[in-house]
Protein backbone atom coordinates (compact mmCIF):
# COMPACT_ATOMS: atom_id res chain seq x y z
CA UNK A 1 0.00 0.00 0.00
CA UNK A 2 1.25 3.45 -0.82
CA UNK A 3 1.31 5.91 2.03
CA UNK A 4 0.72 8.88 -0.29
CA UNK A 5 -1.92 11.33 0.93
CA UNK A 6 -5.26 10.63 -0.69
CA UNK A 7 -6.05 13.26 -3.28
CA UNK A 8 -9.32 15.14 -3.04
CA UNK A 9 -11.50 14.12 -5.96
CA UNK A 10 -13.23 17.18 -7.36
CA UNK A 11 -16.51 17.28 -9.26
CA UNK A 12 -16.23 20.55 -11.11
CA UNK A 13 -19.67 21.75 -12.14
CA UNK A 14 -19.50 24.61 -14.62
CA UNK A 15 -15.88 23.81 -15.51
CA UNK A 16 -15.77 26.09 -18.56
CA UNK A 17 -16.88 29.26 -16.76
CA UNK A 18 -14.94 31.94 -14.99
CA UNK A 19 -15.00 30.08 -11.66
CA UNK A 20 -14.55 26.70 -13.37
CA UNK A 21 -11.45 27.69 -15.35
CA UNK A 22 -9.88 29.30 -12.29
CA UNK A 23 -10.57 26.13 -10.30
CA UNK A 24 -8.84 24.21 -13.09
CA UNK A 25 -5.79 26.45 -12.64
CA UNK A 26 -5.74 25.67 -8.92
CA UNK A 27 -6.00 21.93 -9.62
CA UNK A 28 -3.30 22.12 -12.28
CA UNK A 29 -0.96 23.85 -9.84
CA UNK A 30 -1.58 21.25 -7.11
CA UNK A 31 -1.58 17.81 -8.72
CA UNK A 32 -0.57 16.14 -5.46
CA UNK A 33 -3.67 17.47 -3.67
CA UNK A 34 -6.49 17.32 -6.21
CA UNK A 35 -7.76 15.20 -9.04
CA UNK A 36 -10.68 15.77 -11.35
CA UNK A 37 -13.52 13.27 -11.11
CA UNK A 38 -16.31 15.06 -13.00
CA UNK A 39 -16.47 18.02 -15.38
CA UNK A 40 -19.66 19.69 -16.63
CA UNK A 41 -20.33 22.44 -19.14
CA UNK A 42 -23.39 23.80 -20.87
CA UNK A 43 -22.24 24.57 -24.40
CA UNK A 44 -18.48 25.10 -24.72
CA UNK A 45 -17.73 21.57 -25.91
CA UNK A 46 -14.25 22.42 -27.19
CA UNK A 47 -13.01 23.55 -23.81
CA UNK A 48 -14.76 20.68 -22.07
CA UNK A 49 -13.05 18.19 -24.38
CA UNK A 50 -9.65 19.81 -23.83
CA UNK A 51 -10.15 19.72 -20.05
CA UNK A 52 -11.24 16.08 -20.19
CA UNK A 53 -8.19 15.12 -22.26
CA UNK A 54 -5.91 16.91 -19.84
CA UNK A 55 -7.38 15.59 -16.57
CA UNK A 56 -8.93 12.27 -17.61
CA UNK A 57 -11.97 12.43 -15.31
CA UNK A 58 -14.40 9.59 -14.69
CA UNK A 59 -17.26 11.46 -16.41
CA UNK A 60 -18.21 14.65 -18.21
CA UNK A 61 -21.58 16.24 -18.88
CA UNK A 62 -22.30 18.48 -21.85
CA UNK A 63 -25.60 20.23 -21.14
CA UNK A 64 -26.41 21.06 -24.75
CA UNK A 65 -27.62 17.74 -26.21
CA UNK A 66 -26.80 18.78 -29.78
CA UNK A 67 -23.10 18.64 -28.77
CA UNK A 68 -23.27 15.15 -27.27
CA UNK A 69 -21.89 13.25 -30.27
CA UNK A 70 -19.06 15.71 -30.78
CA UNK A 71 -17.92 15.22 -27.20
CA UNK A 72 -18.51 11.48 -27.27
CA UNK A 73 -16.42 11.09 -30.45
CA UNK A 74 -13.59 13.25 -29.21
CA UNK A 75 -13.34 11.26 -25.97
CA UNK A 76 -14.06 7.82 -27.41
CA UNK A 77 -10.58 6.42 -26.84
CA UNK A 78 -10.09 8.11 -23.47
CA UNK A 79 -12.41 5.99 -21.35
CA UNK A 80 -14.17 9.12 -20.06
CA UNK A 81 -17.93 8.57 -19.66
CA UNK A 82 -19.96 11.18 -21.52
CA UNK A 83 -23.44 12.30 -20.49
CA UNK A 84 -25.72 14.97 -21.83
CA UNK A 85 -28.78 16.98 -20.83
CA UNK A 86 -30.08 18.61 -17.69
CA UNK A 87 -30.91 15.38 -15.83
CA UNK A 88 -27.39 14.11 -16.34
CA UNK A 89 -26.14 16.82 -13.96
CA UNK A 90 -28.15 15.25 -11.15
CA UNK A 91 -27.12 11.74 -12.23
CA UNK A 92 -23.41 12.48 -11.96
CA UNK A 93 -23.91 14.48 -8.75
CA UNK A 94 -25.27 11.18 -7.40
CA UNK A 95 -21.93 9.39 -7.98
CA UNK A 96 -20.14 8.16 -4.87
CA UNK A 97 -16.73 8.62 -6.42
CA UNK A 98 -16.01 12.28 -5.66
CA UNK A 99 -15.20 14.08 -2.42
CA UNK A 100 -16.12 17.68 -3.17
CA UNK A 101 -18.44 19.38 -5.60
CA UNK A 102 -17.23 22.75 -6.77
CA UNK A 103 -20.57 24.35 -7.62
CA UNK A 104 -19.64 26.77 -10.39
CA UNK A 105 -22.77 26.66 -12.53
CA UNK A 106 -24.45 30.04 -12.91
CA UNK A 107 -28.05 30.62 -11.88
CA UNK A 108 -31.02 28.47 -10.88
CA UNK A 109 -29.64 25.60 -13.02
CA UNK A 110 -27.13 24.91 -10.24
CA UNK A 111 -29.76 24.16 -7.61
CA UNK A 112 -30.74 20.56 -8.44
CA UNK A 113 -27.23 19.06 -8.78
CA UNK A 114 -26.04 20.93 -5.70
CA UNK A 115 -28.99 19.66 -3.68
CA UNK A 116 -28.19 16.13 -4.81
CA UNK A 117 -24.59 16.48 -3.63
CA UNK A 118 -25.82 17.90 -0.31
CA UNK A 119 -28.18 14.96 0.13
CA UNK A 120 -25.23 12.65 -0.40
CA UNK A 121 -23.28 14.43 2.32
CA UNK A 122 -20.59 15.65 -0.06
CA UNK A 123 -18.49 18.70 0.71
CA UNK A 124 -19.60 21.65 -1.40
CA UNK A 125 -17.40 24.53 -2.52
CA UNK A 126 -20.23 26.91 -3.25
CA UNK A 127 -19.82 29.58 -5.91
CA UNK A 128 -23.38 29.25 -7.20
CA UNK A 129 -25.02 31.79 -4.87
CA UNK A 130 -28.39 31.45 -6.60
CA UNK A 131 -28.78 28.02 -4.96
CA UNK A 132 -29.02 29.65 -1.54
CA UNK A 133 -31.00 32.66 -2.75
CA UNK A 134 -33.69 30.39 -4.18
CA UNK A 135 -33.99 27.68 -1.53
CA UNK A 136 -31.52 28.50 1.24
CA UNK A 137 -33.72 27.14 4.01
CA UNK A 138 -34.02 23.71 2.39
CA UNK A 139 -30.39 23.52 1.25
CA UNK A 140 -29.01 24.47 4.69
CA UNK A 141 -31.38 22.11 6.53
CA UNK A 142 -30.39 19.22 4.27
CA UNK A 143 -26.71 20.10 4.64
CA UNK A 144 -27.09 19.87 8.41
CA UNK A 145 -29.04 16.60 8.25
CA UNK A 146 -26.52 14.99 5.90
CA UNK A 147 -23.41 16.60 7.44
CA UNK A 148 -22.48 18.14 4.11
CA UNK A 149 -20.01 20.98 4.75
CA UNK A 150 -20.78 24.04 2.62
CA UNK A 151 -17.68 26.14 2.12
CA UNK A 152 -18.30 29.43 0.37
CA UNK A 153 -16.33 30.44 -2.70
CA UNK A 154 -17.93 33.85 -3.14
CA UNK A 155 -15.14 36.18 -1.95
CA UNK A 156 -17.24 38.05 0.63
CA UNK A 157 -18.55 34.85 2.16
CA UNK A 158 -15.14 33.22 2.06
CA UNK A 159 -13.86 36.27 3.97
CA UNK A 160 -16.52 35.85 6.64
CA UNK A 161 -15.93 32.11 6.79
CA UNK A 162 -12.20 32.73 7.26
CA UNK A 163 -12.87 35.30 10.00
CA UNK A 164 -14.98 32.70 11.84
CA UNK A 165 -12.17 30.17 12.03
CA UNK A 166 -11.17 29.80 15.68
CA UNK A 167 -14.19 31.69 17.02
CA UNK A 168 -16.02 28.62 18.36
CA UNK A 169 -19.42 29.67 19.66
CA UNK A 170 -18.66 33.38 19.74
CA UNK A 171 -21.65 35.25 18.40
CA UNK A 172 -21.72 37.52 15.39
CA UNK A 173 -23.25 40.93 16.07
CA UNK A 174 -23.25 41.85 12.43
CA UNK A 175 -21.44 41.21 9.20
CA UNK A 176 -20.25 43.94 6.89
CA UNK A 177 -20.42 42.86 3.25
CA UNK A 178 -18.18 44.98 1.10
CA UNK A 179 -19.20 45.95 -2.43
CA UNK A 180 -16.97 47.58 -5.03
CA UNK A 181 -19.97 49.49 -6.35
CA UNK A 182 -19.38 48.19 -9.87
CA UNK A 183 -18.56 50.18 -13.00
CA UNK A 184 -21.32 52.78 -12.50
CA UNK A 185 -20.61 53.92 -8.99
CA UNK A 186 -21.69 57.54 -8.47
CA UNK A 187 -23.83 57.53 -11.63
CA UNK A 188 -27.47 58.59 -11.66
CA UNK A 189 -30.50 57.31 -13.62
CA UNK A 190 -30.05 59.90 -16.41
CA UNK A 191 -26.70 58.22 -17.16
CA UNK A 192 -27.77 54.65 -16.50
CA UNK A 193 -30.69 54.83 -18.90
CA UNK A 194 -28.23 54.83 -21.81
CA UNK A 195 -25.88 52.14 -20.55
CA UNK A 196 -25.24 49.30 -23.00
CA UNK A 197 -24.12 45.73 -22.58
CA UNK A 198 -20.40 46.32 -23.15
CA UNK A 199 -20.24 49.14 -20.56
CA UNK A 200 -21.92 46.98 -17.97
CA UNK A 201 -19.71 43.98 -18.69
CA UNK A 202 -16.47 45.76 -17.78
CA UNK A 203 -15.99 45.52 -14.04
CA UNK A 204 -13.22 47.63 -12.47
CA UNK A 205 -11.76 44.96 -10.13
CA UNK A 206 -12.94 41.48 -11.14
CA UNK A 207 -13.18 39.50 -14.38
CA UNK A 208 -16.26 37.31 -14.17
CA UNK A 209 -18.97 35.60 -16.20
CA UNK A 210 -21.52 37.76 -18.02
CA UNK A 211 -24.43 37.29 -15.62
CA UNK A 212 -22.56 38.15 -12.43
CA UNK A 213 -20.89 41.10 -14.19
CA UNK A 214 -24.29 42.57 -14.99
CA UNK A 215 -25.50 41.77 -11.47
CA UNK A 216 -22.47 43.63 -10.11
CA UNK A 217 -23.24 46.66 -12.25
CA UNK A 218 -26.85 46.83 -10.96
CA UNK A 219 -25.89 45.90 -7.35
CA UNK A 220 -28.20 42.88 -7.61
CA UNK A 221 -25.09 40.82 -6.96
CA UNK A 222 -24.78 42.38 -3.50
CA UNK A 223 -28.48 41.78 -2.95
CA UNK A 224 -28.07 38.10 -3.81
CA UNK A 225 -25.05 37.98 -1.54
CA UNK A 226 -26.95 39.38 1.44
CA UNK A 227 -29.44 36.53 1.11
CA UNK A 228 -26.62 34.03 0.56
CA UNK A 229 -24.97 35.28 3.77
CA UNK A 230 -28.19 35.10 5.73
CA UNK A 231 -28.46 31.37 5.03
CA UNK A 232 -24.77 30.47 5.18
CA UNK A 233 -24.18 32.09 8.56
CA UNK A 234 -27.68 31.74 10.01
CA UNK A 235 -28.18 35.49 10.46
CA UNK A 236 -31.16 37.77 10.91
CA UNK A 237 -31.54 40.29 8.08
CA UNK A 238 -30.84 43.11 10.59
CA UNK A 239 -27.35 41.70 11.12
CA UNK A 240 -26.29 42.25 7.51
CA UNK A 241 -24.85 45.56 6.37
CA UNK A 242 -23.56 46.48 2.93
CA UNK A 243 -20.72 48.98 2.63
CA UNK A 244 -19.25 50.32 -0.60
CA UNK A 245 -15.51 49.75 -0.60
CA UNK A 246 -14.26 50.61 -4.06
CA UNK A 247 -10.80 49.07 -3.85
CA UNK A 248 -12.05 45.49 -3.14
CA UNK A 249 -9.18 44.90 -0.71
CA UNK A 250 -11.27 44.11 2.35
CA UNK A 251 -13.37 41.19 1.17
CA UNK A 252 -15.81 41.45 4.10
CA UNK A 253 -15.86 41.77 7.89
CA UNK A 254 -17.48 40.43 11.03
CA UNK A 255 -18.29 42.49 14.09
CA UNK A 256 -18.50 40.24 17.14
CA UNK A 257 -20.56 40.80 20.29
CA UNK A 258 -17.72 42.67 21.99
CA UNK A 259 -17.58 45.18 19.14
CA UNK A 260 -14.33 43.80 17.79
CA UNK A 261 -14.19 43.61 14.00
CA UNK A 262 -12.25 41.07 11.96
CA UNK A 263 -11.59 41.55 8.26
CA UNK A 264 -10.09 39.33 5.60
CA UNK A 265 -8.03 41.14 2.98
CA UNK A 266 -6.05 40.59 -0.15
CA UNK A 267 -5.88 41.55 -3.78
CA UNK A 268 -9.09 40.76 -5.67
CA UNK A 269 -8.36 37.34 -7.15
CA UNK A 270 -11.01 34.60 -7.12
CA UNK A 271 -8.36 31.89 -7.22
CA UNK A 272 -7.72 32.57 -3.55
CA UNK A 273 -11.24 31.82 -2.24
CA UNK A 274 -11.53 28.93 -4.73
CA UNK A 275 -8.27 27.43 -3.46
CA UNK A 276 -9.25 28.07 0.17
CA UNK A 277 -12.55 26.24 -0.26
CA UNK A 278 -10.96 23.34 -2.11
CA UNK A 279 -8.14 22.81 0.38
CA UNK A 280 -10.00 23.76 3.59
CA UNK A 281 -8.91 23.58 6.37
CA UNK A 282 -5.44 23.75 4.84
CA UNK A 283 -3.90 26.85 3.29
CA UNK A 284 -1.77 26.14 0.25
CA UNK A 285 1.34 28.10 -0.66
CA UNK A 286 1.02 29.85 -4.00
CA UNK A 287 2.68 32.50 -6.11
CA UNK A 288 -0.33 34.79 -6.59
CA UNK A 289 0.56 38.50 -6.47
CA UNK A 290 0.69 39.86 -2.89
CA UNK A 291 -1.02 42.95 -1.54
CA UNK A 292 1.37 45.80 -0.79
CA UNK A 293 -0.30 48.27 1.57
CA UNK A 294 2.16 50.98 0.60
CA UNK A 295 0.49 51.09 -2.81
CA UNK A 296 -2.89 51.87 -1.25
CA UNK A 297 -2.72 55.24 0.44
CA UNK A 298 -6.38 55.02 1.41
CA UNK A 299 -9.22 52.57 1.60
CA UNK A 300 -12.66 54.14 1.30
CA UNK A 301 -16.05 53.18 2.74
CA UNK A 302 -19.42 54.64 1.73
CA UNK A 303 -23.12 53.97 1.94
CA UNK A 304 -24.65 52.32 -1.12
CA UNK A 305 -26.95 54.53 -3.22
CA UNK A 306 -30.09 52.40 -3.03
CA UNK A 307 -32.23 55.14 -4.58
CA UNK A 308 -30.31 54.82 -7.85
CA UNK A 309 -29.43 51.13 -7.60
CA UNK A 310 -32.88 49.99 -6.59
CA UNK A 311 -32.09 46.30 -7.01
CA UNK A 312 -30.36 46.43 -3.65
CA UNK A 313 -33.54 47.78 -2.05
CA UNK A 314 -35.62 45.06 -3.76
CA UNK A 315 -33.24 42.36 -2.55
CA UNK A 316 -33.37 43.78 0.97
CA UNK A 317 -37.16 43.58 0.83
CA UNK A 318 -36.94 39.98 -0.43
CA UNK A 319 -34.49 39.06 2.33
CA UNK A 320 -36.71 40.51 5.07
CA UNK A 321 -39.94 39.06 3.73
CA UNK A 322 -38.43 35.66 2.90
CA UNK A 323 -40.66 32.81 1.69
CA UNK A 324 -40.64 32.46 -2.08
CA UNK A 325 -39.86 36.16 -2.68
CA UNK A 326 -36.06 35.74 -3.09
CA UNK A 327 -36.74 32.85 -5.50
CA UNK A 328 -39.16 35.01 -7.52
CA UNK A 329 -36.73 37.92 -7.51
CA UNK A 330 -33.91 35.68 -8.69
CA UNK A 331 -35.94 34.19 -11.53
CA UNK A 332 -37.08 37.62 -12.76
CA UNK A 333 -33.53 38.87 -12.51
CA UNK A 334 -32.17 35.96 -14.58
CA UNK A 335 -34.70 36.77 -17.31
CA UNK A 336 -34.02 40.51 -17.09
CA UNK A 337 -30.24 40.06 -17.27
CA UNK A 338 -30.60 37.69 -20.22
CA UNK A 339 -32.80 40.25 -22.01
CA UNK A 340 -30.36 43.08 -21.29
CA UNK A 341 -27.43 40.97 -22.53
CA UNK A 342 -29.38 40.38 -25.75
CA UNK A 343 -30.18 44.08 -26.15
CA UNK A 344 -33.90 43.52 -25.65
CA UNK A 345 -34.29 45.89 -22.71
CA UNK A 346 -32.41 48.82 -21.24
CA UNK A 347 -30.32 48.93 -18.08
CA UNK A 348 -32.99 50.45 -15.86
CA UNK A 349 -35.69 48.15 -17.28
CA UNK A 350 -34.01 45.26 -15.49
CA UNK A 351 -35.08 46.65 -12.13
CA UNK A 352 -38.60 47.33 -13.39
CA UNK A 353 -38.97 43.72 -14.56
CA UNK A 354 -37.77 42.40 -11.21
CA UNK A 355 -40.01 44.74 -9.21
CA UNK A 356 -43.17 44.03 -11.22
CA UNK A 357 -42.58 40.29 -11.03
CA UNK A 358 -42.09 40.47 -7.27
CA UNK A 359 -45.43 42.27 -6.99
CA UNK A 360 -47.23 39.83 -9.28
CA UNK A 361 -46.38 36.33 -8.08
CA UNK A 362 -48.37 35.00 -5.09
CA UNK A 363 -46.44 35.00 -1.85
CA UNK A 364 -45.80 31.65 -0.17
CA UNK A 365 -44.43 31.86 3.34
CA UNK A 366 -42.91 28.39 3.72
CA UNK A 367 -42.53 26.88 0.27
CA UNK A 368 -41.73 23.23 -0.37
CA UNK A 369 -39.05 22.44 -2.93
CA UNK A 370 -41.77 21.85 -5.54
CA UNK A 371 -43.26 25.25 -4.73
CA UNK A 372 -39.87 26.89 -5.21
CA UNK A 373 -39.69 25.30 -8.65
CA UNK A 374 -43.23 26.46 -9.43
CA UNK A 375 -42.50 30.00 -8.23
CA UNK A 376 -39.36 30.07 -10.34
CA UNK A 377 -41.31 28.98 -13.43
CA UNK A 378 -44.18 31.42 -12.85
CA UNK A 379 -41.80 34.29 -12.25
CA UNK A 380 -39.82 33.49 -15.41
CA UNK A 381 -43.00 33.39 -17.50
CA UNK A 382 -44.31 36.64 -16.09
CA UNK A 383 -40.97 38.43 -16.45
CA UNK A 384 -40.67 37.18 -20.03
CA UNK A 385 -44.19 38.44 -20.81
CA UNK A 386 -43.11 41.93 -19.71
CA UNK A 387 -40.23 41.78 -22.14
CA UNK A 388 -42.19 40.17 -25.00
CA UNK A 389 -39.37 37.73 -25.74
P1 LIG B 1 -19.84 31.74 -16.17
O1 LIG B 1 -20.99 32.18 -17.00
O2 LIG B 1 -18.48 32.20 -16.51
O3 LIG B 1 -19.81 30.13 -16.15
C1 LIG B 1 -20.95 29.37 -15.89
C2 LIG B 1 -20.67 27.89 -16.04
O4 LIG B 1 -21.93 27.22 -15.84
C3 LIG B 1 -20.17 27.48 -17.40
O5 LIG B 1 -19.30 26.39 -17.28
C4 LIG B 1 -21.43 27.04 -18.14
O6 LIG B 1 -21.19 26.04 -19.10
C5 LIG B 1 -22.28 26.49 -17.02
N1 LIG B 1 -23.72 26.69 -17.25
C6 LIG B 1 -24.32 27.83 -17.65
N2 LIG B 1 -25.65 27.64 -17.76
C7 LIG B 1 -25.88 26.36 -17.43
C8 LIG B 1 -27.06 25.55 -17.39
N3 LIG B 1 -28.26 26.04 -17.70
N4 LIG B 1 -26.93 24.27 -17.02
C9 LIG B 1 -25.72 23.75 -16.72
N5 LIG B 1 -24.57 24.47 -16.73
C10 LIG B 1 -24.65 25.75 -17.10
O7 LIG B 1 -20.21 32.11 -14.66
P2 LIG B 1 -19.21 32.41 -13.45
O8 LIG B 1 -18.87 33.86 -13.45
O9 LIG B 1 -18.13 31.41 -13.40
O10 LIG B 1 -20.18 32.23 -12.20
C11 LIG B 1 -20.57 30.95 -11.74
C12 LIG B 1 -21.25 31.11 -10.39
O11 LIG B 1 -20.29 31.57 -9.45
C13 LIG B 1 -22.38 32.14 -10.38
O12 LIG B 1 -23.40 31.71 -9.54
C14 LIG B 1 -21.72 33.37 -9.83
O13 LIG B 1 -22.62 34.22 -9.15
C15 LIG B 1 -20.74 32.77 -8.85
N6 LIG B 1 -19.56 33.63 -8.58
C16 LIG B 1 -18.74 33.95 -9.61
C17 LIG B 1 -17.64 34.78 -9.37
C18 LIG B 1 -16.67 35.12 -10.48
O14 LIG B 1 -15.67 35.79 -10.22
N7 LIG B 1 -16.90 34.72 -11.70
C19 LIG B 1 -17.42 35.29 -8.08
C20 LIG B 1 -18.29 34.92 -7.07
C21 LIG B 1 -19.36 34.09 -7.33
MG1 LIG C 1 -18.97 38.13 -4.33
Amino acid sequence: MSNAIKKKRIALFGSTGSIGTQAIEVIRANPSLFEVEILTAQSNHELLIAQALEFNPNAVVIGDESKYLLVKDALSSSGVKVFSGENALVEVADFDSYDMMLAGIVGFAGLKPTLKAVEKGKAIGLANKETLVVAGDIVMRKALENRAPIIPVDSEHSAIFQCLVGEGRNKIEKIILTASGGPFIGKKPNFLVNVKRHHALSHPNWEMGAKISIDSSTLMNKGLEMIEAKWLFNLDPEQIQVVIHQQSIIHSMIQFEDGSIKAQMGLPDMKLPIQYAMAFPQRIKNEFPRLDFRKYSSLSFDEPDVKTFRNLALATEAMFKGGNLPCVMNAANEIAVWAFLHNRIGFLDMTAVVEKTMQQISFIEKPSLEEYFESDGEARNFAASLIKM
Side-chain angles (χ1 to χ4, degrees):
M1 283 286 283
S2 114
N3 57 0
I5 301 168
K6 215 171 149 261
K7 293 182 191 181
K8 211 179 258 184
R9 295 162 302 176
I10 307 290
L12 185 44
F13 279 60
S15 67
T16 54
S18 159
I19 292 290
T21 51
Q22 293 181 85
I24 289 274
E25 285 183 54
V26 171
I27 295 170
R28 193 180 279 131
N30 297 281
S32 61
L33 296 180
F34 306 116
E35 65 188 342
V36 179
E37 176 65 14
I38 294 169
L39 295 169
T40 88
Q42 181 58 19
S43 53
N44 188 347
H45 63 286
E46 281 162 354
L47 184 53
L48 180 68
I49 291 166
Q51 291 174 339
L53 291 174
E54 180 179 353
F55 292 100
N56 197 33
N58 177 14
V60 302
V61 178
I62 179 78
D64 179 348
E65 295 181 42
S66 71
K67 308 261 176 79
Y68 172 71
L69 285 179
L70 282 171
V71 179
K72 177 105 184 122
D73 281 353
L75 299 179
S76 59
S77 56
S78 67
V80 177
K81 298 183 193 107
V82 181
F83 298 83
S84 186
E86 202 190 319
N87 293 336
L89 291 172
V90 180
E91 263 174 63
V92 298
D94 200 21
F95 282 8
D96 291 324
S97 57
Y98 66 98
D99 302 305
M100 170 179 259
M101 169 189 276
L102 197 82
I105 288 180
V106 58
F108 184 84
L111 173 59
K112 271 192 194 168
T114 306
L115 252 184
K116 176 53 79 182
V118 165
E119 283 165 359
K120 290 185 70 70
K122 300 290 187 184
I124 313 285
L126 188 75
N128 176 244
K129 61 192 81 181
E130 293 90 347
T131 284
L132 289 182
V133 173
V134 171
D137 53 344
I138 294 179
V139 175
M140 293 311 287
R141 178 167 47 74
K142 291 202 175 191
L144 206 63
E145 284 167 8
N146 296 290
R147 295 169 186 264
I150 299 191
I151 303 151
V153 167
D154 214 347
S155 57
E156 296 76 1
H157 306 73
S158 175
I160 290 164
F161 189 88
Q162 292 183 52
C163 290
L164 279 173
V165 170
E167 291 294 341
R169 290 174 181 272
N170 289 334
K171 291 219 174 75
I172 296 175
E173 192 166 86
K174 73 173 182 194
I175 63 164
I176 300 141
L177 283 183
T178 51
S180 71
F184 307 129
I185 185 153
K187 302 294 188 204
K188 295 292 171 197
N190 61 352
F191 175 91
L192 294 174
V193 73
N194 295 317
V195 159
K196 293 281 175 282
R197 181 181 192 272
H198 63 278
H199 303 127
L201 280 176
S202 51
H203 193 278
N205 303 343
W206 303 95
E207 262 189 47
M208 311 176 283
K211 194 242 172 195
I212 185 176
S213 297
I214 302 302
D215 283 345
S216 299
S217 75
T218 64
L219 291 203
M220 179 55 93
N221 184 48
K222 213 47 58 180
L224 299 174
E225 290 184 353
M226 290 194 303
I227 300 170
E228 179 186 14
K230 173 183 140 167
W231 292 119
L232 270 175
F233 305 113
N234 194 18
L235 301 170
D236 292 328
E238 294 81 1
Q239 292 175 285
I240 302 171
Q241 188 178 66
V242 171
V243 170
I244 300 290
H245 166 49
Q246 282 197 59
Q247 300 80 15
S248 298
I249 295 299
I250 297 185
H251 298 314
S252 278
M253 303 180 250
I254 302 182
Q255 182 173 310
F256 290 95
E257 278 192 315
D258 61 356
S260 182
I261 296 173
K262 271 170 122 178
Q264 187 267 337
M265 297 181 229
L267 291 172
D269 181 351
M270 281 309 294
K271 284 208 291 295
L272 201 50
I274 290 170
Q275 171 180 301
Y276 184 82
M278 282 172 55
F280 179 78
Q282 227 188 311
R283 287 188 186 272
I284 317 175
K285 183 169 170 54
N286 61 37
E287 304 302 327
F288 306 160
R290 292 339 193 205
L291 170 65
D292 180 351
F293 275 100
R294 295 167 301 185
K295 298 204 172 120
Y296 289 82
S297 59
S298 66
L299 297 179
S300 61
F301 305 95
D302 297 288
E303 272 204 50
D305 175 2
V306 291
K307 289 212 169 77
T308 304
F309 296 91
R310 289 177 50 241
N311 276 353
L312 193 55
L314 292 174
T316 303
E317 182 195 338
M319 171 173 68
F320 271 88
K321 203 159 173 207
N324 64 342
L325 200 56
C327 167
V328 166
M329 176 189 79
N330 177 70
N333 182 59
E334 287 191 24
I335 295 292
V337 170
W338 184 91
F340 176 74
L341 282 171
H342 291 81
N343 301 315
R344 304 280 180 91
I345 61 174
F347 188 84
L348 295 174
D349 298 331
M350 285 190 276
T351 304
V353 167
V354 172
E355 185 169 35
K356 283 186 188 145
T357 309
M358 286 170 69
Q359 288 161 353
Q360 173 72 19
I361 305 300
S362 313
F363 182 66
I364 307 174
E365 196 168 347
K366 263 218 136 305
S368 62
L369 190 59
E370 292 68 35
E371 285 170 323
Y372 278 127
F373 277 91
E374 281 161 23
S375 296
D376 174 82
E378 281 175 40
R380 275 169 204 272
N381 288 339
F382 182 76
S385 75
L386 295 172
I387 294 159
K388 299 185 191 67
M389 296 196 299

